[in-house]
Structures are given as structure tokens and as C-alpha cells.
């Protein structure tokens, strides 16, 4: 009998790739979506769909009452919101509601994998030379997004008998991703924009390696453990732009490096305009805090040793694959 897996956030960037891998591995795969969710990347006829309202524990219990899952991967969440309180409502309370419903229904799941983020740590270890952020470091999230993810992690800790494992990926990129796509688009239009003059150490993880870690966590993850994820390398802030430009055929460009105060002003304006128009903007207070952070190094040794995590795609190859996908699918 096939193992049954539920994937929340299935229509999203990371979630859609988890669905594909679950199908490849022969799982009875259930994609949790909303009525408004796009199914553009969920076209396989083997996918089972289920509508879940993560904002209501009671409704979740109704929607899940006749279901039994062996594994749950909780990839649903938001990275941008008009109002900061929405991060808590969706990322924190949504996680609580889902787990409470599972517990109330006494669903005997084997593993619950929660996709968190390196952002829960905030700007720490910022003295040069930068050193890796460790699991033992005290989180100091400097964004509403990071706080909402940390609050969800801390709440999971209050359920010691619940078989949860937490993954904390650094910046995730790859085909279908829309935020980093804006850099591809900007460079194609001959502009590269960076901020801050102090050295910035950046880490990345290709989406396929996040998916690899998800299934390793299901098999080998220890309850209550957290694992940072990156590709194991450290890059400078200009590396990503240089690689994008190369894959786009080296178009002529203007590289602009602005002081942080310019980004702060632009971000403030973007957030203000977003509230006036009711549309989420890419530049806001959270984005400012993320871009001014200088140290994104993280220790992936526990993931390597405990899960057998072995990142396969370094940044040059990942950018090459991403650019090819964007071009093939008419995004560029």
C-alpha cells in the first residue's frame, strides 16, 4: 500500500517541486490548495487535491476528518504581506491550526516536516570575519516574516510528542521562483542594483536540494530537530548578478551600488504605496532588513551528518538551469 503524503502550499514555488518528487517516489500524493490557487505547476493527473482553510482549526478538522496521512509537509506560508500582522496570522496561526487539527483527529502521522527559514536568526555574527550561524545561536529575527516563522517553531516545541522536524533553508532559488526572477529581468534590461558597501556573505540553496532535504527529513529526521540548508558554499553579493549576466549572454549593463539609506527610503516609499494601492510590493521594511544583513553563512553540518544531506547544485549550475527555464517558458 502506498504511503500517503499531504503537502500544503502545493501550488507555490517550493511546494510544487515537493509534489513532483512525491509522485516520482510513488507516494499517494495530496496537494493542499485554496480555491484561488493556481494549478499551473500541478498538472499531473496522479495528484489528489484537497482544499484546506488554514485560518480555521474547526474547518480543518472537518476537511481532514476522513483522511489519514503518513506524512505531512507544511510548505504553506507567505513571504510578503501588506500588513505585518498578516505574517503572524498566516505563518504562525496557520501552522498551529493545522497541527491542532491533526492532533484532535488523532491522525497517526509518522513525520511532520515544517519549512521554516534562516531568516528566523536575524542579523547575528555580523562582526568580520563572518562566521557560520549555528543552531545553538539565539534567534534574533529582524523581520515580521522571520518572527512569524520563529513563533511557529517555538509553538511546535510545546508539542513534544508530535513528530515534527524543522528545515531552515537560506535563500531558495530555481525555476518558477519570482523574487530572484526580478534580478534576471533587471539584468536583461541592463541594470544591476545592489546596496551597501560593506562586505556581504550570501548563501543560496537550489530548490531541488530543499526537496531532497524534505524527504531525508521524513526518513531520518529526529523529532524536534532543526536543520539549516544551503549549498555549502559562501558567495559575495555580486556573484549572483555576474552569473545571471553570463547566462543571459553578457548584455551591457550599468551596475549601481547605493548606500543603505537609499534602500531604506525606497523601501519606506514602496510600503506606503502598497498600503495606498492595496498591492504587495517587493520593496518594504522587511526587504530592507533582509538586504542590509551582511552575514548569511549557516552551519549545515547537522543536516549532512544526521540526514545524509548532500547538496547537488551549486550556484553556477543553478543559475544556468534557472535562466534556461525562464527563457524556455517565456518569462525572459
Amino acid at each position: 500500500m502506498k504511503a500517503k503524503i499531504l503537502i500544503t502550499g502545493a501550488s507555490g514555488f517550493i511546494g510544487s517541486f515537493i509534489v513532483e518528487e512525491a509522485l516520482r517516489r510513488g507516494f499517494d500524493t495530496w496537494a493542499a490548495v485554496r480555491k484561488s490557487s493556481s494549478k499551473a505547476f500541478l498538472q499531473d493527473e496522479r495528484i489528489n487535491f484537497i482544499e484546506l482553510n488554514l485560518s480555521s482549526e474547526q474547518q480543518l478538522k472537518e476537511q481532514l476528518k476522513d483522511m489519514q496521512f503518513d506524512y505531512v509537509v507544511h510548505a504553506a506560508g507567505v513571504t510578503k504581506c501588506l500588513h505585518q500582522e498578516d505574517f503572524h496570522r498566516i505563518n504562525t496561526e496557520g501552522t498551529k491550526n493545522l497541527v491542532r487539527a491533526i492532533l484532535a483527529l488523532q491522525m497517526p502521522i509518522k513525520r511532520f516536516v515544517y519549512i521554516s527559514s534562516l531568516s528566523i536568526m536575524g542579523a547575528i555574527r555580523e562582526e568580520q570575519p563572518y562566521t557560520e550561524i549555528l543552531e545553538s545561536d539565539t534567534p534574533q529575527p529582524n523581520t515580521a516574516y522571520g518572527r512569524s516563522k520563529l513563533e511557529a517553531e517555538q509553538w511546535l516545541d510545546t508539542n513534544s510528542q508530535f513528530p515534527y522536524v524543522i528545515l531552515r533553508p537560506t535563500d531558495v532559488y530555481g525555476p518558477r521562483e519570482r523574487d530572484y526572477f526580478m534580478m534576471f529581468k533587471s539584468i536583461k534590461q541592463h541594470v544591476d542594483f545592489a546596496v551597501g558597501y560593506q562586505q556581504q556573505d550570501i548563501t543560496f540553496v537550489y530548490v531541488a536540494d530543499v526537496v531532497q532535504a524534505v524527504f531525508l527529513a521524513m526518513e531520518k529526521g529526529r523529532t524536534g530537530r532543526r536543520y539549516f540548508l544551503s549549498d555549502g558554499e559562501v558567495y559575495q553579493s555580486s556573484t549572483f548578478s555576474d552569473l545571471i549576466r553570463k547566462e543571459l549572454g553578457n548584455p551591457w549593463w550599468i551596475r549601481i551600488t547605493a548606500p543603505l539609506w537609499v534602500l531604506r527610503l525606497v523601501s519606506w516609499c514602496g510600503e506606503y504605496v502598497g498600503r495606498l494601492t492595496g498591492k504587495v510590493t517587493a520593496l518594504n521594511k522587511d526587504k530592507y532588513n533582509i538586504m542590509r544583513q551582511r552575514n548569511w553563512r549557516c552551519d549545515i553540518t547537522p543536516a549532512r551528518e544526521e540526514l545524509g544531506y548532500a547538496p547537488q547544485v551549486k550556484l553556477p549550475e543553478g543559475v544556468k538551469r534557472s535562466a534556461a527555464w525562464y527563457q524556455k517558458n517565456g518569462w525572459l
Side-chain angles (χ1 to χ4, degrees), residues 1-2 9 32 38 63 76 94 131 137 144 163 232 280 289 294 297 328:
M1 189 174 181
K2 289 183 178 181
S38 168
Q63 292 165 329
T131 56
D137 288 330
V280 179
N289 286 326
R294 299 289 99 181
R297 291 170 174 259
K328 180 180 178 181

Side-chain angles (χ1 to χ4, degrees), residues 17 58 88 126 148 171 199 206 211 237 247 304 313 315:
F17 281 103
Q58 188 56 43
H88 177 83
E126 296 262 277
S148 69
D171 289 340
Q199 177 181 325
Y206 188 68
V211 174
S237 56
E247 294 304 324
R304 290 185 186 276
V313 183
L315 194 61

Side-chain angles (χ1 to χ4, degrees), residues 160-299:
S160 59
Q161 301 305 309
F162 189 66
Y164 68 95
V165 176
I166 296 169
L167 299 179
R168 294 169 166 174
T170 184
D171 289 340
V172 187
Y173 72 103
R176 306 176 191 168
E177 200 279 332
R178 293 186 178 276
D179 287 346
Y180 281 119
F181 164 68
M182 300 305 294
M183 289 185 64
F184 284 81
K185 188 175 179 180
S186 178
I187 290 170
K188 185 179 180 181
Q189 295 172 345
H190 313 295
V191 176
D192 178 40
F193 183 78
V195 293
Y197 301 113
Q198 185 179 337
Q199 177 181 325
Q200 186 178 43
D201 285 0
I202 302 179
T203 51
F204 293 91
V205 60
Y206 188 68
V207 63
D209 284 325
V210 176
V211 174
Q212 171 202 159
V214 166
F215 287 88
L216 287 170
M218 284 165 46
E219 298 165 10
K220 303 177 182 179
R222 290 160 43 194
T223 294
R225 292 290 283 116
R226 287 117 158 104
Y227 301 98
F228 292 124
L229 302 176
S230 77
D231 69 2
E233 304 292 337
V234 178
Y235 305 94
Q236 297 308 301
S237 56
S238 61
T239 309
F240 196 52
S241 298
D242 291 338
L243 289 169
I244 292 172
R245 183 177 182 232
K246 177 185 174 183
E247 294 304 324
L248 295 181
N250 293 309
W252 66 266
W253 66 352
I254 300 172
R255 172 170 272 169
I256 302 169
T257 302
L260 283 171
W261 68 264
V262 172
L263 174 65
R264 187 169 191 173
L265 178 62
V266 172
S267 299
W268 182 87
C269 292
E271 190 160 306
Y272 180 72
V273 170
R275 289 176 179 173
L276 286 178
T277 62
K279 295 180 180 179
V280 179
T281 60
L283 286 173
N284 48 46
K285 183 179 178 181
D286 263 18
K287 190 66 172 179
Y288 166 72
N289 286 326
I290 289 170
M291 292 183 72
R292 76 171 181 172
Q293 188 168 322
R294 299 289 99 181
N295 180 27
W296 290 93
R297 291 170 174 259
C298 59
D299 179 22

Side-chain angles (χ1 to χ4, degrees), residues 59-76:
Q59 199 166 346
L60 281 168
K61 286 189 283 189
E62 287 296 316
Q63 292 165 329
L64 292 170
K65 66 180 180 181
D66 297 321
M67 309 297 295
Q68 292 287 334
F69 293 104
D70 298 291
Y71 302 97
V72 176
V73 180
H74 186 35

